């Protein structure tokens, strides 16, 4: 008999050679129907792998990430079979699962595969799936494995096998198809009910441009047809909400090849929106005891040698700028922390003066390869809503809670209300990896975990995910399309205070090291606004949106009255403008809808007579005719309901 420990801690005995599927069946028939993958003692196994020793078993269904991974990896085998059949002579290389679906890199030789081939591939793949073929793992000798692929002339698989050790090589069979694979499959092909080929792209063998270019076939699959339909709808919606598209339509930002790739240019409406976001955070930060500082965009190379950034990132950064006469070397600032350390170092502090909280909307520059750049989410120059808190180890607990409060205030106010926290702590088996005393690490990790608990956060602890210089907390935010984003990292740091020799005088009159906290609730203004655009589809909260109202005079006759309405709105700090183009009201309404302006104020004969405005909300709701004052009250009420003070 073997002892199997399940994730909930229960231990059960099974006869030697029982499979994960046998164990699932012993728990419940329902579970057995849904189990598609398993992990035994930290190794992914097949659901039919005989277990011959005591160990911990985790069973996965489609609802687990590991379940999806096995599902999509298995689907790549099915699609590979279809490709091999439809394009004779095609050479298969690798086919892993990815975050959404899977791909297979193929050398199609004389064939070229394009979108028009997708339906045929999908059709054949689905036929194979319906055959309910079991995935069966089979150990093979290195010689046998090489023989198979040499005879096919597949130099890619041969190269893969040559790097493997004899005795560790396995094939996976299903139907008439065999692939080199180390495992991790669902029980059989029949579980796959829907397959979609999404796109093809060029990809170099092993990601090296010196190698042969292959065709990467991207696909996704689901256990239900309706899941695929929902996914395709989501893709469609994501396209509509793409921040690059919306940023252009709403005239928020642009890029110029002349200025340079990855360097966003903020247009007046975008700049104003960014300023409102900054003002919102500045106000809360002021209440939370932060002080604003300002530092230059460059720093001496020496500064980053001291901080350690140069040794770590120097080679892959923008290269130093040299002064013409003195031969000094400066770097474009990749982060604000070293500058802030030197601000702290400007004068001595007593423990009574701590914590010091220095905040700056600091613009930094990081080199990214041009191929990696993406709209506002991957750029070469961006502004962080940065702050560094310098405190005593005893204050860490309290400070961490305060930073969480501020981060949650930001997320909740901006409508990101679906989030989890992730606490990254040390790997206790490798203590030599970390700087700082064990005592301080324990203090910091406990501070973070206690703070997360006390604030009622839904959190997970990730062992070994901490940076070498301190533990951290991240928020994993789910947007309106169900995609996950990492936001608002709060990082404890024992390293920079050491490197910059930061001190404070304690109650014992001795010098001590402060602890440093890095935090940025938005992360960067660029990335945050991109997220906000995609999350809201460009329908920003009323307090943030570029124009809150647009006045549409029915004809030229009513322009004077429109001006009067605009004046009174401006006096009440409502952002509005008049569309007095010589166009029909219908056309003006359609364009105002496109610009996502929350309120349209239509003024014509009867409005002018009664001193009112006819209100139409974005999206079509007609609110009837009301006075300007009533409209001001309506806007104020809506703003107050979303923009609460910190
Ligand atoms: Zn496989
Ligand atoms: Zn920092």
């Amino acid at each position: 008999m073997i002892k199997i420990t399940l994730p909930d801690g229960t231990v059960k005995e099974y006869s030697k050679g029982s499979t994960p599927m046998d164990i699932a069946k012993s728990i419940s028939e329902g579970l057995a129907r849904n189990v598609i993958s398993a992990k035994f003692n930290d190794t992914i196994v097949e659901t039919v792998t005989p277990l011959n020793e005591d160990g911990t078993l985790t069973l996965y269904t489609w609802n687990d990430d590991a379940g999806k991974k096995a599902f999509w990896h298995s689907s790549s085998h099915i699609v590979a079979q279809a490709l091999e059949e439809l394009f004779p002579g095609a050479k298969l290389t690798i086919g892993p699962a990815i975050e959404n679906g899977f791909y297979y890199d193929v050398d199609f030789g004389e064939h070229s595969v394009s979108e028009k081939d997708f339906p045929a591939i999908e059709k054949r793949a689905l036929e194979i799936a319906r055959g309910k073929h079991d995935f069966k793992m089979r150990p093979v000798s290195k010689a046998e494995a090489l023989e198979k692929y040499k005879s096919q002339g597949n130099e890619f698989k041969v190269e893969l096998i040559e790097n493997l050790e004899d005795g560790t090589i396995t094939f996976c069979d299903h139907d008439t198809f065999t692939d080199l694979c180390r495992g991790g499959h669902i029980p059989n092909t029949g579980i796959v009910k829907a397959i979609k080929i999404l796109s093809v792209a060029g990809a170099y063998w092993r990601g090296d441009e010196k190698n042969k270019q292959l065709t990467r076939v991207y696909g996704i699959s689901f256990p239900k047809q309706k899941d695929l339909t929902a996914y395709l709808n989501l893709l469609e919606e994501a396209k509509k909400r793409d921040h690059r598209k919306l940023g252009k339509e709403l005239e928020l930002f642009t890029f110029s090849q002349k200025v340079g790739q990855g360097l966003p240019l903020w247009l007046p409406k975008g700049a104003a929106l960014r300023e409102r976001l900054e003002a919102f955070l500045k106000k809360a930060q002021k209440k939370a005891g932060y002080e604003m500082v300002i530092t230059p965009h460059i720093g001496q190379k020496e500064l980053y040698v001291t901080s350690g950034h140069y040794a770590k990132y120097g080679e892959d950064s923008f290269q130093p700028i040299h002064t013409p006469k003195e031969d000094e070397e400066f770097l474009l600032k990749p982060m604000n922390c070293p500058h802030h350390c030197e601000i702290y170092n400007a004068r001595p502090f007593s423990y009574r003066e701590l914590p010091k909280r220095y905040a700056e909307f600091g613009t930094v520059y990081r080199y990214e390869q041009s191929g990696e750049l993406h709209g506002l989410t991957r750029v070469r120059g961006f502004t962080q809503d940065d702050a560094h808190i310098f405190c005593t180890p005893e204050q860490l607990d309290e400070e961490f809670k305060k930073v969480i409060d501020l981060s949650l205030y930001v997320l909740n106010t901006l409508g990101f209300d679906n989030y989890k926290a992730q606490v990254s702590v040390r790997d206790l088996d490798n203590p030599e990896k970390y700087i700082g005393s064990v005592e301080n690490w324990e203090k910091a990790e406990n501070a973070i975990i206690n703070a997360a608990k006390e604030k009622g956060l839904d959190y997970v602890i990730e062992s070994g995910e901490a940076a070498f210089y301190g533990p951290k907390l991240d928020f994993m935010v789910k947007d309106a399309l169900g995609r996950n984003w990492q936001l608002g990292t709060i990082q404890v740091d024992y390293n920079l205070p050491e490197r910059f020799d930061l001190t404070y005088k304690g109650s014992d009159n001795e010098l001590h090291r402060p602890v440093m906290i890095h935090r940025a609730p938005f992360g960067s203004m660029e990335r945050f606004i991109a997220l906000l655009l995609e999350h809201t589809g460009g329908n920003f909260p009323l307090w943030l949106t570029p124009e809150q109202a647009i006045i549409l005079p029915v004809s030229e006759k009513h322009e004077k009255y429109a001006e009067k309405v605009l004046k009174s709105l401006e006096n009440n700090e409502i952002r509005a403008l008049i569309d007095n183009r010589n166009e029909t009201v219908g056309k003006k309404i359609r364009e105002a809808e496109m610009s996502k302006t929350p309120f349209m104020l239509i003024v014509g004969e009867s409005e002018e007579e009664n001193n009112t405005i006819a209100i139409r909300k974005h999206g079509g709701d007609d609110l009837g005719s009301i006075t300007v004052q009533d409209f001001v009250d309506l806007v104020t009420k809506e703003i107050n309901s979303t923009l609460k003070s910190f």
Side-chain angles (χ1 to χ4, degrees), residues 46 62 108 116 140 180 191 250 252 276 285 308 334 363-364 458 512 532 568 601 625 631:
E46 308 289 297
W62 167 256
F108 282 105
K116 67 179 189 337
V140 288
L180 171 72
I191 299 163
L250 304 179
L252 301 178
R276 276 190 291 281
Q285 283 182 168
T363 303
V364 297
D458 179 3
H512 298 269
L532 198 57
S568 35
L601 317 182
S625 289
F631 177 66

Coordinates of all heavy atoms in Angstrom, one line a residue, residues 46 62 108 116 140 180 191 250 252 276 285 308 334 363-364 458 512 532 568 601 625 631:
E46 N 0.7 12.1 -15.7 CA -0.5 11.8 -16.4 C -1.5 11.3 -15.5 O -1.2 10.8 -14.4 CB -0.2 10.7 -17.5 CG 1.0 10.9 -18.4 CD 0.8 12.0 -19.4 OE1 -0.1 11.9 -20.3 OE2 1.5 13.0 -19.4
W62 N -10.3 21.6 -15.4 CA -10.2 22.8 -16.3 C -10.2 24.1 -15.6 O -9.6 25.1 -16.0 CB -11.5 22.7 -17.3 CG -11.6 24.0 -18.0 CD1 -12.6 25.0 -17.8 CD2 -10.9 24.4 -19.2 NE1 -12.4 26.0 -18.7 CE2 -11.4 25.7 -19.6 CE3 -9.8 23.9 -19.9 CZ2 -10.9 26.4 -20.7 CZ3 -9.3 24.6 -21.0 CH2 -9.8 25.8 -21.3
F108 N 7.2 24.3 -42.5 CA 6.3 23.8 -43.5 C 6.9 23.5 -44.9 O 6.2 23.1 -45.8 CB 5.1 24.8 -43.7 CG 4.1 24.7 -42.6 CD1 4.0 25.6 -41.6 CD2 3.2 23.6 -42.5 CE1 3.1 25.6 -40.6 CE2 2.3 23.5 -41.5 CZ 2.2 24.5 -40.5
K116 N -6.5 31.2 -44.7 CA -7.4 30.5 -45.5 C -7.4 29.0 -45.2 O -8.3 28.2 -45.5 CB -7.3 30.7 -47.0 CG -6.0 30.2 -47.6 CD -5.9 30.5 -49.1 CE -4.8 29.9 -49.8 NZ -3.6 29.5 -49.0
V140 N 11.3 5.6 -24.6 CA 12.1 5.1 -25.8 C 13.6 5.4 -25.5 O 14.0 6.3 -24.8 CB 11.7 5.8 -27.1 CG1 10.3 5.4 -27.6 CG2 11.8 7.4 -27.0
L180 N 7.6 13.6 -29.7 CA 8.6 13.6 -28.6 C 8.0 14.5 -27.5 O 7.6 15.6 -27.8 CB 9.9 14.3 -29.1 CG 10.9 14.6 -28.0 CD1 11.6 13.3 -27.5 CD2 12.0 15.5 -28.6
I191 N -12.0 15.0 -24.8 CA -12.3 16.1 -23.8 C -12.3 17.4 -24.5 O -12.9 18.4 -24.1 CB -11.3 16.0 -22.6 CG1 -11.5 14.7 -21.9 CG2 -11.6 17.2 -21.6 CD1 -10.3 14.3 -21.0
L250 N -9.6 59.2 -28.8 CA -10.0 60.2 -27.8 C -8.9 61.3 -27.7 O -9.0 62.2 -26.8 CB -10.1 59.5 -26.4 CG -11.2 58.4 -26.4 CD1 -11.2 57.8 -25.0 CD2 -12.5 58.9 -26.8
L252 N -5.7 61.3 -26.8 CA -5.0 61.4 -25.6 C -3.5 61.4 -25.7 O -2.8 62.2 -25.1 CB -5.4 60.2 -24.7 CG -6.9 60.1 -24.3 CD1 -7.1 58.9 -23.5 CD2 -7.4 61.4 -23.6
R276 N -5.0 65.4 -13.8 CA -6.1 65.1 -12.8 C -5.8 63.9 -11.9 O -6.0 63.8 -10.8 CB -7.4 65.0 -13.5 CG -8.1 66.3 -13.8 CD -9.5 66.1 -14.3 NE -9.6 65.5 -15.6 CZ -9.4 66.1 -16.8 NH1 -9.1 67.4 -16.8 NH2 -9.4 65.5 -17.9
Q285 N -1.9 61.5 -0.9 CA -0.6 61.4 -0.3 C -0.3 62.4 0.7 O 0.4 62.2 1.7 CB 0.5 61.4 -1.4 CG 0.5 60.1 -2.2 CD 1.6 60.0 -3.3 OE1 1.9 59.0 -3.8 NE2 2.2 61.2 -3.6
G308 N 24.0 49.6 -7.2 CA 24.0 48.2 -7.7 C 23.3 48.0 -9.0 O 23.4 47.0 -9.7
P334 N 17.1 55.3 -14.6 CA 16.2 54.2 -14.8 C 15.2 54.0 -13.7 O 14.2 53.3 -13.8 CB 17.1 53.0 -14.9 CG 18.3 53.4 -14.1 CD 18.4 54.9 -14.2
T363 N 10.1 60.8 -13.9 CA 10.2 60.2 -15.2 C 11.5 59.4 -15.3 O 12.5 59.9 -15.0 CB 10.1 61.3 -16.3 OG1 8.9 62.0 -16.1 CG2 10.1 60.7 -17.7
V364 N 11.4 58.2 -15.8 CA 12.5 57.3 -15.9 C 12.6 56.8 -17.3 O 11.6 56.8 -18.1 CB 12.5 56.1 -14.9 CG1 12.5 56.7 -13.4 CG2 11.3 55.3 -15.1
D458 N -7.7 39.3 0.2 CA -7.7 37.9 -0.3 C -6.3 37.7 -0.8 O -5.9 38.3 -1.9 CB -8.7 37.8 -1.4 CG -8.7 36.4 -2.0 OD1 -8.0 35.5 -1.5 OD2 -9.5 36.2 -3.0
H512 N 21.5 53.8 13.6 CA 20.8 52.5 13.1 C 20.5 52.7 11.6 O 20.4 53.8 11.1 CB 19.6 52.3 13.9 CG 19.8 52.1 15.3 ND1 20.0 50.8 15.8 CD2 19.8 53.0 16.3 CE1 20.2 51.0 17.2 NE2 20.1 52.2 17.5
L532 N -6.6 51.6 -17.6 CA -7.8 52.3 -17.4 C -8.7 52.4 -18.6 O -9.9 52.2 -18.6 CB -7.5 53.7 -16.7 CG -8.6 54.3 -16.0 CD1 -9.2 53.5 -14.9 CD2 -8.1 55.7 -15.4
S568 N -21.9 79.4 -17.2 CA -22.3 79.0 -15.9 C -21.7 77.6 -15.5 O -21.4 77.4 -14.4 CB -23.8 79.1 -15.7 OG -24.5 78.7 -16.8
L601 N -25.6 68.3 -23.9 CA -26.6 69.3 -23.5 C -27.2 70.0 -24.8 O -26.4 70.7 -25.5 CB -26.0 70.3 -22.6 CG -25.0 69.8 -21.5 CD1 -24.5 70.9 -20.7 CD2 -25.7 68.8 -20.6
S625 N -35.5 68.0 -20.0 CA -35.0 69.3 -19.8 C -34.9 69.7 -18.4 O -35.9 69.6 -17.7 CB -35.8 70.3 -20.6 OG -35.7 70.1 -22.0
F631 N -28.5 70.5 -13.4 CA -27.4 69.7 -14.0 C -26.1 69.7 -13.2 O -25.5 68.7 -13.0 CB -27.2 70.2 -15.4 CG -26.1 69.5 -16.1 CD1 -26.2 68.2 -16.5 CD2 -24.9 70.2 -16.4 CE1 -25.2 67.5 -17.1 CE2 -23.8 69.5 -17.1 CZ -24.0 68.1 -17.4

